[in-house]
Amino acid sequence: MSDAGNTHCRALAQARCVTSNLEMATTTDSPQTPSSGSLGDRLRVPSRFPYRTIAMGTIGSTLLMLAALGAGGILIRDPILGHGPLSWIRYGHGRILANTMLYTGFALIIWAWVRLGRYALAGRIGSRPIVIAAACWMAPLLVSPPLFTRDVFSYLAQGAQLLNGLDPYANGPAELVVLPDVVQNVHPLWQTTPAPYGPLFLLVAKWIVGITGNDMIAGVIATRLVLMIGLVGMLWSLPRLVKHLGGKLPITLWLAIASPMTVIHLVGGPHNDLLMLGFLTIGVLAALERKHVLAIVLVTIGMLIKPTAAWALPFLVWVWANHLPGDRKVVNFFRAGAASVGIFLPVFVAGTWVSLGSFNLGWLTGLKAPTLIANWMNFPTGIGEIFYSLVNLVIDVEVSPFVTVFRAIAMVGLFVFAGWQWWLARDGGYPAIHRMAIVLLAGAIVPPPSLPWYLTWGFVVLSAFEWRRRNLAVVVAVSVFVTLVYYPTGEQALYDWWFMAGVVAASVYAAASLLRPDPLGIIAAWRGKPMEQFLPAEAPRS
């Protein structure tokens, strides 16, 4: 055979190998590329860059964006689809089709995210593919209607109140007599409810409405773009936090950036928690790097966006105290505590004054507003409802006393737990940050309401620590579950028991898929191949 013929055959063999690599990347979980071995072994090696996985999630995200036009948090009066040729997607069979397409897109994103996690756990990919995947999955959602929530309409309406000289902490958006499209798209529950957000975020919302006015589509997109500042802050701080806290960067980014809680809830929602998390993570990093003044300033700014960032401040005092010279721990604690208070107060006062034009503390009482949401996802509420149901079998009673009592007991327990964790964090360092993250997580679960995206407060910080593989599978189950417990319109689905059964099944299957590809053998059976072809030659260590 001629040299040209040999070259041609070698090129064909290489092309077949590359094609096989790309195909097997979707089903195998091999930890490393073997440098030698049989041709069959080499053909089973996955691609180092997960093109197919990223493409799958991107297709899913695009389906979410398109389907949200009919099944998401759509506008009351849509200038694009309201009376045009595509308006059918919002009604009847069109809406059923939109919901089917939306949940199909959701499934593709989850599938891609779980596969990406397997690759990261096996050491087959680094940080770059995960960041690229997250960016590709988020991009279509930047222009999507709101997904699984209508909170962004409340953000804009409360910003409009501030813009028009009204106090968003005294009354709800219904008092606005201007910008009718902004007001009418607020969920009915929040029409007469004061704002529960920090004054600095309302100032941001005021600026956005000042630019976009009554244009709700532009307002939603502009809000997302502003909130992406928080994502940039997370991307900058998390690699540095990993060095202090002992995690693995690909796992951290997979859990904190590419997670459906971030992609679908924080970006697709969107939610102002994303902006707060940017300041929180940079602030925690500053504390670990002995830049304590900056740390207190940044976390206080985060609190002025979303008040729950305040849980982190007492723990940062311990970190500061343990960085001070000398062995007098009590003295160092009071020095760090006094300095922290001395920094917090002027930042808090100045931030409130600049945002509202006065030192208006009405936003603290506005924190009661979310307690209007009552469902069993908040476990004290759920326990109260169970006791109510049992008593109501015997005697006709109201549900509210039961819920109120169990919520009160849970809040006392939360403060006791948080205080105990704070005391155990007195040696500072990364254990203090770990306990801080646990308290942030508890602060998302115990007080009413427990909304799905609240879990990101603790998970984002915890992502920088080392994780066991099985614990990550639990996080996968929780992530899928909390993303699905609300309908795409933003209404809760927690009492649709058949739907919830499907949500639980999907969550468990996704978790099992992280530990073992195709855990039920469905794909193998469909392709008519033995399951062994889908498993690595040697299981990666967790």
Side-chain angles (χ1 to χ4, degrees):
M1 184 180 291
S2 66
D3 291 342
N6 287 330
T7 301
H8 180 68
C9 289
R10 285 196 297 270
L12 286 175
Q14 290 173 358
R16 292 191 187 100
C17 185
V18 169
T19 303
S20 179
N21 288 349
L22 289 171
E23 180 177 355
M24 294 306 296
T26 66
T27 55
T28 64
D29 206 9
S30 303
Q32 297 293 338
T33 301
S35 56
S36 61
S38 66
L39 177 61
D41 290 337
R42 291 196 298 271
L43 290 177
R44 287 167 51 83
V45 174
S47 170
R48 287 184 178 274
F49 194 89
Y51 294 102
R52 282 192 171 187
T53 299
I54 294 174
M56 175 187 292
T58 306
I59 292 171
S61 181
T62 303
L63 287 176
L64 275 180
M65 180 266 291
L66 294 173
L69 294 170
I74 57 178
L75 299 175
I76 302 300
R77 290 188 299 178
D78 193 323
I80 297 177
L81 297 180
H83 301 286
L86 295 178
S87 61
W88 58 271
I89 199 173
R90 304 178 63 185
Y91 310 101
H93 292 92
R95 185 152 191 162
I96 294 174
L97 176 63
N99 273 286
T100 302
M101 187 164 64
L102 189 144
Y103 283 112
T104 300
F106 179 87
L108 290 175
I109 290 179
I110 297 299
W111 191 357
W113 180 59
V114 170
R115 292 202 312 189
L116 204 65
R118 288 205 304 265
Y119 301 157
L121 284 167
R124 296 212 322 254
I125 60 173
S127 305
R128 182 169 168 266
I130 295 173
V131 173
I132 292 174
C136 290
W137 301 346
M138 291 176 184
L141 300 185
L142 291 176
V143 295
S144 167
L147 284 164
F148 298 95
T149 180
R150 296 183 70 86
D151 280 6
V152 66
F153 299 138
S154 294
Y155 300 163
L156 295 171
Q158 289 153 3
Q161 286 178 273
L162 199 59
L163 180 67
N164 287 276
L166 302 174
D167 183 1
Y169 298 124
N171 298 289
E175 68 173 343
L176 275 171
V177 295
V178 295
L179 304 177
D181 287 344
V182 173
V183 177
Q184 70 179 354
N185 283 288
V186 177
H187 191 282
L189 183 64
W190 309 121
Q191 285 280 359
T192 57
T193 306
Y197 309 115
L200 189 57
F201 179 73
L202 292 189
L203 178 63
V204 172
K206 172 185 173 181
W207 289 339
I208 292 173
V209 177
I211 296 171
T212 60
N214 204 41
D215 189 336
M216 294 302 293
I217 295 176
V220 171
I221 294 173
T223 301
R224 282 201 182 100
L225 294 176
V226 171
L227 296 183
M228 294 300 282
I229 296 171
L231 184 70
V232 172
M234 289 165 56
L235 283 169
W236 182 85
S237 58
L238 285 173
R240 294 161 176 81
L241 277 175
V242 165
K243 295 179 181 178
H244 288 279
L245 303 179
K248 295 180 180 178
L249 185 56
I251 301 300
T252 297
L253 295 175
W254 173 77
L255 185 58
I257 303 298
S259 163
M261 285 193 291
T262 301
V263 173
I264 296 176
H265 272 314
L266 296 188
V267 175
H271 292 286
N272 57 9
D273 306 70
L274 183 60
L275 188 58
M276 180 272 282
L277 285 168
F279 284 98
L280 177 64
T281 52
I282 299 175
V284 170
L285 174 65
L288 292 171
E289 294 186 344
R290 299 174 180 264
K291 301 172 184 176
H292 298 289
V293 174
L294 179 61
I296 300 299
V297 169
L298 289 173
V299 176
T300 304
I301 292 174
M303 177 187 173
L304 291 169
I305 294 169
K306 191 88 173 184
T308 45
W311 287 111
L313 288 169
F315 292 89
L316 298 186
V317 174
W318 284 129
V319 177
W320 192 345
N322 281 273
H323 283 166
L324 293 175
D327 297 328
R328 298 180 299 175
K329 288 191 174 183
V330 175
V331 174
N332 285 348
F333 167 72
F334 281 104
R335 288 174 59 193
S340 297
V341 173
I343 296 165
F344 168 79
L345 286 177
V347 174
F348 179 83
V349 172
T352 304
W353 194 286
V354 169
S355 301
L356 304 177
S358 65
F359 187 56
N360 182 349
L361 293 181
W363 65 283
L364 297 177
T365 58
L367 297 177
K368 298 178 182 178
T371 62
L372 295 173
I373 300 175
N375 57 57
W376 61 260
M377 187 174 173
N378 174 247
F379 80 87
T381 302
I383 294 173
E385 290 180 342
I386 290 173
F387 273 84
Y388 156 74
S389 298
L390 294 174
V391 173
N392 199 52
L393 292 174
V394 180
I395 183 173
D396 188 20
V397 292
E398 295 291 330
V399 67
S400 56
F402 294 88
V403 170
T404 301
V405 167
F406 279 98
R407 282 181 169 185
I409 294 171
M411 286 302 296
V412 172
L414 173 63
F415 280 105
V416 171
F417 173 77
W420 178 239
Q421 291 297 314
W422 176 78
W423 177 246
L424 293 176
R426 60 188 180 276
D427 289 331
Y430 75 87
I433 303 303
H434 189 267
R435 295 186 185 281
M436 179 199 79
I438 291 173
V439 170
L440 282 167
L441 200 55
I445 296 171
V446 176
S450 299
L451 294 173
W453 49 93
Y454 287 5
L455 296 180
T456 58
W457 306 342
F459 278 152
V460 166
V461 179
L462 286 172
S463 70
F465 290 87
E466 187 174 4
W467 283 79
R468 293 182 181 272
R469 188 182 183 101
R470 291 192 179 275
N471 291 344
L472 284 173
V474 174
V475 174
V476 168
V478 171
S479 299
V480 175
F481 179 84
V482 300
T483 309
L484 284 174
V485 294
Y486 276 69
Y487 293 125
T489 58
E491 299 295 336
Q492 55 108 355
L494 288 157
Y495 296 93
D496 184 344
W497 300 112
W498 286 110
F499 180 83
M500 292 308 303
V503 169
V504 171
S507 303
V508 172
Y509 185 80
S513 297
L514 182 72
L515 302 176
R516 184 172 189 252
D518 191 22
L520 299 180
I522 297 173
I523 299 176
W526 176 59
R527 293 186 178 182
K529 297 180 180 180
M531 186 60 206
E532 288 73 12
Q533 292 193 25
F534 295 88
L535 297 175
E538 180 181 355
R541 297 178 182 178
S542 59

